[in-house]
Amino acid sequence: MSKKFAYSKEELEKLSLKQLQDLAALIREKIIQVVSQNGGHLSSNLGAVELSIAMHLVFDVSADPFIFDVSHQSYTHKLLSGKEDVFDSLRQINGLSGYTKPSEGDYFVAGHSSTSISLALGACKAIALKGEKRIPIALIGDGALSAGMVYEALNELGDSKFPCVILLNDNEMSISKPIGAISKYLSQAMATQFYQNFKKRVARMLGVLPNSATYIAKRFEESFKLITPGLLFEELGLEYIGPIDGHDLAEVILALKQAKAMQKPCVVHAQTIKGKGYTLAEGKHAKWHGVGAFDIDSGESIKKLDAKKSATEIFSATLMQLALKYENIVGVTAAMPSGTGLDKLIDKYPNRFWDVAIAEQHAVTSMAAMAKEGFKPFVAIYSTFLQRAYDQIIHDCAIMNLNIVFAIDRAGIVGEDGETHQGVFDVSFLAPLPNFTLLAPRDEKMMQKVMEYSYLHQGPIAFRYPRGSFILDKEFSPCQIKLAKAQWLIKNNSQIALLGYGQGVGKAWQVLRSLQELGKNANLIDLIFAKPLDEGLLVELARESCIWFVFSENAKIGGVGALINDFLQKYDLSIKLISFEYADEFIEHGKTSEVERSLGKDVKTLVEEVLRFYD
C-alpha cells in the first residue's frame, strides 16, 4: 500500500485486515526512522500501534474524546490524525510535540501519568449534560495503575455508569521494572476467549436454573472471578473484556466494538510487547523507553558523549558514599530509579532504598514517617513530578519540620519534552513554605558538599540540580557549606554584580568571561542558598555594586530574583535588580540550547543585556 498515514474513521473501515496490518508496519517504520534522528519515546509507541489504529477505526477522533495517559505513546495517533507532513519535526523547536497538545488538535494535554480516567469521567459528565452521544476512549498503561488518582476515578466511574471505554495497555513495564501488586496481578491474566465464553455460559445458566440452584451457580462464578484479572475492575462496577492480544488487530477492533456497544464503563485489557517491531527494543529494556538519536541497524547512540559526569551520576555516587557512612540514610524515588540514579542504591541496599512506582504523594508521606522514626530520607524526584506531592510536602513534612532531604533532579530547562517537563517552578513553590531551606550546587565538588550538609541539616531541605552536566567550566575553590552563607567567587571594583544560583553560576561565569574579553569587569557571587539568603554578604555587596543580575533556572515569579527583591525592600537598599529567570509563560520543547536562544537566555544575548548597563 502507498505510504499514507492519515486516515479518517470511514477510510479505515474500508481497509481489509491485511491492509490494516500493512499500515501498522508502515507506521512502525516511520516511528523508528524519526525517533532514530530526533530521539523520543520509542518502545512505548511501538507497542501501542495496533491499539491506536483500532481506536481510530472504532471511535470518531473528530467527536469522541481521545485521551492518552502521559501521551508518550501517541505517535501513531499523530500520524493517523494528519500530522504526517510535520512528523519529521517531532520534538524539535517550533515542531510537533512529543506529547498530546490541544494546540495541535489533540483533546487534552498530558505529560504526567494517571490522569486519563479522571479526564474521561469529566468528559462523560459534560457529554451527558449536553445530551450528546459521544464516548470517551482512554488509553492507559499498566504502570499508571500504581497511582492513586486512577482508583479515585475508577471508583466514581463504576458508580456513575457513564458510557466510557478504558483501553488498558498491559506490557508489564512502565519505565523501569513494574512495581506493585497491580502489575503482578495483571501479568497473571488468563486467556480471553476462555474467560469471556465462561461468563456467557454462566449468564445463560443463571437464566434457566431454578431458584434453588441459582445461588450455587452465582457463588461458583464469583469464586472463578477471584483468579481472573477482571475482578479488580468488575468489583468496582466496570465491565471487563480481556485479556486480549494487543497486536492482533482483528481481536482489538472486535473488543473495542463490543465495549463501545455496551454503553457502560468498560475496561478492555490488551497485552502488548513494548518495542514491538524493532527487535533490539522489544521487551523489558528501560533504555528504549526514552532515547536520543541512534543508529537503527546497531541500536547504538550516535549522540556525542559528554565527557563530564552528569549531575545525576554525581548525586548517585555521592549518596552511595553517604549511605555507607551514615546507616540511617534511606531513600525513595517514584518510578524513576535509573533516571534519578537511585537504581544503584536500590540494588546495594534493597532494605533502605525503594522505588514506589508512579506515586509521588505516597513516596513523600512514607518518607515523612521514616524521618519521624529517626531515619534521614533522601527523596529523589524530578522537579516537574515533585509538583504532584505539594500537599504532602506542606502537610506532612514542613508543618512537622521533619529532617527530610529533597533531591530535585531535572531542575531548569530539560529540552525536547517541553512544557509538561520543564523543571522551572520548584523554587517558586517551595520557597514560601515555613521551615524549608533551599540550596543548589554549582559543580561536582559543591554537589558533594551540599549533600553532606543536607544530611546534617535539621528540618526539611531541598537542593536542585540540572539534567546533564554542570556547565561551570572554571574550578573555584569550594567553600564549607554553612546555613545562609554565600560565596564571593570573583571580587572586582565594579558597579555590576552577577549573582548565580546552582546551574546559574555556570551561566553567570560564561557571561562574565565574555565581558572580560571586552575589557569589562563584574563581581561574581554564588548564592548557594536561595532560602535563607546570606543577608550579610548582600549588604556588603550593595556597598560596591548598584546593579545586580540574577542567574537562576527558575520562573521569575516567586524565583530567586523575587526573594532577593524582598531582601532589598527589607533593608531599603537602592539597587537596580534584573532577573534573567524565565518569564510568565510555559516553555516549549526543543533542544535546550535552541530553547534558551528563543527565550533570549543564551550567553550572547545575556552579555548584550548586561553591556547596556555599563557607563
Side-chain angles (χ1 to χ4, degrees), residues 495-496 498 511 514-521 549 580 603-615:
Q495 65 175 349
I496 303 292
L498 311 182
V511 169
S514 296
L515 292 172
Q516 289 174 336
E517 291 171 357
L518 298 171
K520 307 293 185 181
N521 271 320
F549 294 92
F580 288 139
V603 173
K604 180 177 180 294
T605 304
L606 295 176
V607 169
E608 292 171 354
E609 285 290 312
V610 175
L611 281 172
R612 293 172 46 236
F613 291 88
Y614 281 90
D615 291 334

Side-chain angles (χ1 to χ4, degrees), residues 40-114:
H41 289 95
L42 183 66
S43 55
S44 54
N45 279 287
L46 294 179
V49 172
E50 286 84 4
L51 302 183
S52 299
I53 291 174
M55 286 170 63
H56 276 258
L57 188 150
V58 175
F59 295 85
D60 183 358
V61 72
S62 66
D64 298 324
F66 275 47
I67 303 169
F68 294 85
D69 206 275
V70 186
S71 79
H72 62 325
Q73 79 291 66
S74 61
Y75 293 1
T76 298
H77 162 72
K78 291 175 183 291
L79 287 167
L80 292 171
S81 299
K83 308 295 191 310
E84 57 182 297
D85 291 341
V86 293
F87 195 70
D88 287 351
S89 70
L90 184 74
R91 291 165 45 89
Q92 305 301 293
I93 193 164
N94 300 320
L96 191 66
S97 172
Y99 296 90
T100 52
K101 197 171 181 180
S103 63
E104 295 177 357
D106 299 312
Y107 181 75
F108 216 88
V109 68
H112 294 178
S113 162
S114 312

Side-chain angles (χ1 to χ4, degrees), residues 550-595:
V550 177
F551 295 78
S552 169
E553 295 202 329
N554 193 81
K556 185 176 295 186
I557 295 178
V560 177
L563 295 172
I564 294 174
N565 191 55
D566 288 343
F567 154 78
L568 294 175
Q569 291 183 36
K570 174 182 176 181
Y571 286 91
D572 195 24
L573 294 172
S574 182
I575 298 293
K576 176 71 173 178
L577 183 70
I578 299 97
S579 172
F580 288 139
E581 292 170 290
Y582 304 121
D584 186 24
E585 59 188 16
F586 289 105
I587 299 172
E588 296 290 320
H589 61 272
K591 289 183 174 62
T592 298
S593 59
E594 295 176 350
V595 171

Side-chain angles (χ1 to χ4, degrees), residues 7-15 20 23 56-57:
Y7 284 86
S8 66
K9 170 179 167 60
E10 291 73 23
E11 289 174 321
L12 286 173
E13 288 175 333
K14 294 176 182 177
L15 297 180
L20 291 171
L23 175 60
H56 276 258
L57 188 150

Side-chain angles (χ1 to χ4, degrees), residues 269-284:
H269 178 186
Q271 293 180 311
T272 63
I273 298 171
K274 209 166 184 181
K276 176 73 172 178
Y278 182 52
T279 305
L280 293 172
E282 287 187 354
K284 303 175 184 180

